[in-house]
């Protein structure tokens, strides 16, 4: 049984409490590792190490900093298969997804920010003969990075890479549900060349280890991805301390399908945007609005093709639907399916858990589920389910579907299917979302701003914005 350890000041350490929490494998429900139940004492040690290391790291020449990030990217690539298997066993996602998306993106994040930091520049504002202003962009100090379970290495690295690139040192906490790939990464940090204390990883529960990071007075910036309720709590702790806050939170994304779209491309992608990673991607389109004239055709084909998706052993390459992350999350998803029935919804397929045979019989599996007949205002269509559950609903006009699409408290992403260019521009401008995909989904260019409106978050990750978040701008004004 694997014992996961914290990584503080370049060393793997047991938690001060000496207590551990169990890590369940979603594929079979068994405990297969133990995670440090860290508390404020472990966080204190990590912050002290990070404060010491900051004096060195902030002065590192950009090329040397970039080299460490490049090296870490290469080490992930070199060990990609081991990382992919670990991600699947820890999270329950199909191995094909870990191999093609999660792990490549983990290394790409380090590589991208290594390149980006070499391109950083600042502005100057000459005032004729009076004065010269120039702007210094300096790292804020120790960055607190807290990430969720749905894309473990992918989102963990999406935070720590820009923080390290900016010249900050880091105290990071991965989700207690999926700690394994962050732990594996910690084995390569020294080999990549990072000085001790620059990149620290503390494992443990959100309310304990996470809260100790958020409330620590010597951590001036918090980058958090997770649920909206947690984000609200973190804001209430961090805002009065005047910390910099980046919050990437929940979503309830609309997928809007007009009759003039390329039907086959739309259908293929809609199956992915609905059920990839068992619907546990914050960008999945869980509310599907279909123009009335093609609603019946869409419904028949979507239901038939969803029934063909192979649910099974996540390590099997044929599997398209793996396990959801935990027993508690499975119960939450099934609870929402019951709610949908109570609210008058009709289950067109799925609607229940799946039981596999043999050694996987206690795993956490939920059939991909399509529901129709609900109002866009009901709880099923307003609250984030974060599972393999979508609703479908017909619409008649652009105005009507815009009203439905924008009706939730969330504003993370939207998907739009139409071949009418003017309509695409009109709708993209009116949709309340941080990203609008037209005739596609999950196409990501790491240079673009990424984040949500409304209750989906504050600030943007991605591109140079993410490095800038971890810096303070200082204007130097020299009288001439
Ligand atoms: P969560 O909020 O329960 O946990 C996220 C992280 O925060 C975990 O590491 C957890 O330990 C920690 N945490 C929990 N309570 C804390 C506290 N009081 N103080 C400090 N840290 C605390 O979220 P989750 O269930 O892990 O992830 C699923 C959610 O994440 C969904 O709502 C999903 O939409 C969202 N998400 C958003 C994005 C995005 O980019 N907007 C991306 C992925 C996931």
């Amino acid at each position: 049984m694997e014992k996961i350890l914290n990584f503080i000041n370049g060393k793997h350490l047991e938690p001060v409490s000496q207590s551990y929490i169990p890590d369940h494998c979603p594929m079979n429900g068994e405990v297969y590792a133990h995670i440090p139940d860290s508390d404020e004492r472990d966080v204190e040690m990590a912050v002290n190490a990070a404060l010491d290391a900051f004096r060195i790291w902030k002065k590192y020449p950009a090329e040397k900093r970039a080299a460490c990030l490049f090296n870490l990217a290469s080490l992930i690539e070199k060990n990609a298969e081991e990382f992919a298997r670990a991600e699947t066993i820890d999270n329950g996602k199909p191995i094909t997804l870990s191999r093609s998306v999660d792990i490549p993106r983990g290394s790409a994040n380090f590589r991208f920010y290594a390149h980006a930091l070499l391109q950083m520049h600042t502005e100057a504002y000459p005032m004729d003969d009076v004065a010269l202003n120039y702007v210094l962009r300096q790292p804020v100090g120790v960055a607190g990075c807290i990430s969720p379970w749905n894309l473990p290495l992918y989102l963990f690295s999406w935070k720590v890479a820009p923080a390290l690139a900016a010249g900050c040192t880091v105290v990071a906490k991965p989700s207690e549900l999926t700690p394994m790939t962050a732990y594996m990464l910690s084995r390569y940090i020294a080999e990549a060349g990072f000085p001790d204390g620059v990149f620290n990883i503390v494992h443990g529960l959100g309310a304990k280890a996470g809260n100790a990071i958020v409330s620590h007075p010597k951590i001036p910036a918090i980058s958090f991805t997770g649920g909206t309720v947690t984000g609200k709590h973190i804001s209430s702790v961090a805002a009065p301390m005047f910390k910099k806050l980046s919050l990437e939170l929940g979503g309830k994304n609309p997928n809007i399908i007009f009759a003039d779209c390329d039907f086959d491309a739309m259908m293929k992608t809609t199956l992915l945007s609905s059920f990839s990673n068992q619907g546990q991607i914050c960008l999945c389109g869980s509310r599907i609005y279909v123009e009335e004239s093609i609603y019946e055709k869409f419904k028949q084909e979507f239901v038939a093709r969803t029934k063909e998706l192979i649910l099974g052993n996540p390590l099997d390459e044929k599997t398209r639907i793996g396990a959801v992350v935990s027993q508690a999350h499975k119960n939450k998803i099934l609870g929402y399916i019951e709610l949908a029935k109570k609210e008058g919804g009709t289950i067109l397929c799925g609607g229940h858990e799946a039981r596999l045979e043999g050694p996987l019989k206690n795993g956490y599996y939920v059939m991909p589920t399509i529901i129709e007949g609900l109002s866009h205002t009901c709880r099923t269509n307003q609250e984030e389910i974060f599972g393999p559950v979508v609703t479908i609903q017909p619409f008649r006009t652009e105005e009507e579907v815009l009203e439905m699409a924008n009706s939730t408290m969330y504003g993370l992403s939207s998907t739009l299917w139409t071949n009418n260019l003017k309509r695409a521009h009109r709708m993209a401008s009116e949709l309340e979302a941080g990203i609008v995909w037209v005739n596609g989904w999950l196409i990501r260019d790491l240079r673009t701003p990424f984040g949500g409106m409304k209750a989906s978050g504050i600030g943007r990750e991605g591109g140079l914005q993410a490095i800038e978040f971890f810096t303070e701008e200082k204007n130097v004004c020299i009288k001439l």
Side-chain angles (χ1 to χ4, degrees):
M1 179 116 17
E2 184 108 39
K3 194 167 165 190
I4 288 171
L5 296 171
N6 290 331
F7 187 70
I8 297 173
N9 208 15
K11 288 178 200 64
H12 283 103
L13 299 180
E14 307 240 4
V16 177
S17 66
Q18 293 286 323
S19 55
Y20 287 81
I21 39 186
D23 185 11
H24 292 264
C25 171
M27 285 166 40
N28 55 25
E30 283 166 19
V31 176
Y32 85 109
H34 285 103
I35 314 160
D37 184 9
S38 309
D39 57 29
E40 66 285 352
R41 293 169 293 176
D42 306 277
V43 169
E44 186 64 31
M45 277 165 58
V47 173
N48 287 336
L51 279 169
D52 276 352
F54 182 58
R55 285 191 223 114
I56 305 165
W57 188 242
K58 71 177 177 188
K59 296 258 160 76
Y60 248 47
E63 276 88 5
K64 265 180 95 178
R65 263 203 329 264
C68 296
L69 278 97
F70 279 129
N71 291 343
L72 200 51
S74 300
L75 285 161
I76 296 172
E77 281 152 19
K78 205 168 133 198
N79 299 284
E81 183 58 21
E82 199 192 335
F83 272 104
R85 278 187 70 83
E87 203 71 292
T88 286
I89 292 167
D90 213 23
N91 172 277
K93 65 179 66 204
I95 186 74
T96 47
L97 201 62
S98 296
R99 280 188 192 136
S100 62
V101 177
D102 290 76
I103 307 308
R105 177 60 191 275
S107 60
N109 288 339
F110 285 107
R111 206 167 279 290
F112 176 84
Y113 280 106
H115 282 294
L117 89 91
L118 297 173
Q119 310 301 324
M120 290 299 284
H121 58 272
T122 59
E123 310 96 68
Y125 301 92
M127 296 169 69
D128 300 323
D129 294 336
V130 182
L132 171 67
N133 297 278
Y134 63 89
V135 180
L136 291 177
R137 196 173 266 293
Q138 298 172 316
V140 287
V142 180
C145 299
I146 301 177
S147 55
W149 50 259
N150 64 324
L151 299 162
L153 186 69
Y154 176 133
L155 290 175
F156 183 78
S157 52
W158 187 230
K159 298 190 173 305
V160 298
L164 294 164
C168 287
T169 52
V170 165
V171 177
K173 193 195 88 61
S175 168
E176 61 274 30
L177 295 176
T178 53
M180 193 54 84
T181 45
Y183 173 54
M184 287 170 63
L185 191 70
S186 70
R187 298 195 195 125
Y188 297 115
I189 290 172
E191 188 179 339
F194 290 96
D196 290 352
V198 167
F199 184 179
N200 306 279
I201 302 177
V202 178
H203 294 273
L205 300 171
K208 219 189 256 185
N211 199 50
I213 293 173
V214 173
S215 55
H216 199 290
K218 297 213 168 115
I219 299 185
I222 301 290
S223 174
F224 169 81
T225 299
T228 292
V229 172
T230 317
K232 200 171 173 180
H233 171 75
I234 287 176
S235 298
S236 73
V237 177
M241 299 174 84
F242 304 106
K243 296 191 180 213
K244 293 190 93 178
L245 258 187
S246 166
L247 299 174
E248 300 291 341
L249 309 177
K252 187 75 180 175
N253 310 309
N255 177 5
I256 302 165
I257 300 166
F258 283 93
D260 65 7
C261 72
D262 177 341
F263 191 86
D264 291 339
M266 174 280 295
M267 182 57 65
K268 206 169 149 212
T269 304
T270 293
L271 286 160
L272 294 173
S273 65
S274 302
F275 301 121
S276 285
N277 205 29
Q278 300 69 250
Q280 302 166 130
I281 300 178
C282 53
L283 305 165
C284 279
S286 56
R287 296 178 290 144
I288 305 178
Y289 299 118
V290 187
E291 195 166 1
E292 200 174 46
S293 58
I294 59 160
Y295 183 79
E296 283 306 318
K297 179 183 174 201
F298 171 85
K299 176 171 135 181
Q300 301 300 330
E301 188 162 336
F302 186 47
V303 170
R305 291 186 57 177
T306 298
K307 285 182 177 165
E308 288 167 8
L309 294 172
I310 298 173
L311 181 149
N313 183 345
L315 287 170
D316 187 332
E317 290 188 359
K318 289 197 291 299
T319 295
R320 291 293 162 267
I321 309 284
V324 300
V325 75
S326 67
Q327 179 72 44
H329 195 55
K330 183 181 95 173
N331 292 342
K332 176 186 160 189
I333 296 165
L334 295 174
Y336 268 107
I337 294 173
E338 288 312 306
L339 173 71
K341 288 186 204 160
K342 282 201 199 101
E343 290 184 318
T346 304
I347 310 291
L348 299 177
C349 68
H352 52 86
E353 66 179 303
R355 286 241 169 244
L356 302 190
E357 300 288 315
L360 304 188
K361 67 179 189 310
N362 293 323
Y364 317 133
Y365 299 91
V366 179
M367 296 295 289
T369 300
I370 304 172
I371 305 169
E372 76 165 349
L374 290 170
S375 140
H376 69 283
T377 56
C378 70
R379 279 184 58 202
T380 308
N381 272 328
Q382 291 289 317
E383 297 176 16
E384 186 183 44
I385 300 173
F386 215 52
V389 179
V390 297
T391 63
I392 60 173
Q393 202 175 335
F395 70 86
R396 286 200 191 89
T397 65
E398 253 179 65
E399 293 70 32
E400 183 191 10
V401 77
L402 260 177
E403 203 274 313
M404 296 197 289
N406 289 340
S407 68
T408 73
M409 69 173 182
Y410 296 107
L412 192 53
S413 74
S414 294
T415 309
L416 187 59
W417 290 93
T418 179
N419 277 330
N420 179 331
L421 187 62
K422 284 190 178 161
R423 170 154 59 205
H425 285 300
R426 239 184 352 253
M427 295 279 295
S429 151
E430 293 300 318
L431 282 163
E432 293 167 0
I435 181 163
V436 179
W437 276 293
V438 181
N439 300 331
W441 179 71
L442 212 64
I443 303 160
R444 290 284 297 119
D445 179 329
L446 303 191
R447 294 169 301 179
T448 59
F450 177 87
M453 296 181 178
K454 305 196 282 187
S456 289
I458 296 176
R460 293 292 179 269
E461 294 191 317
L464 297 183
Q465 274 114 320
I467 299 191
E468 287 167 9
F469 169 75
F470 292 105
T471 64
E472 284 285 9
E473 282 177 304
K474 184 188 287 171
N475 187 59
V476 180
C477 179
I478 299 176
K479 188 170 181 299
L480 298 177

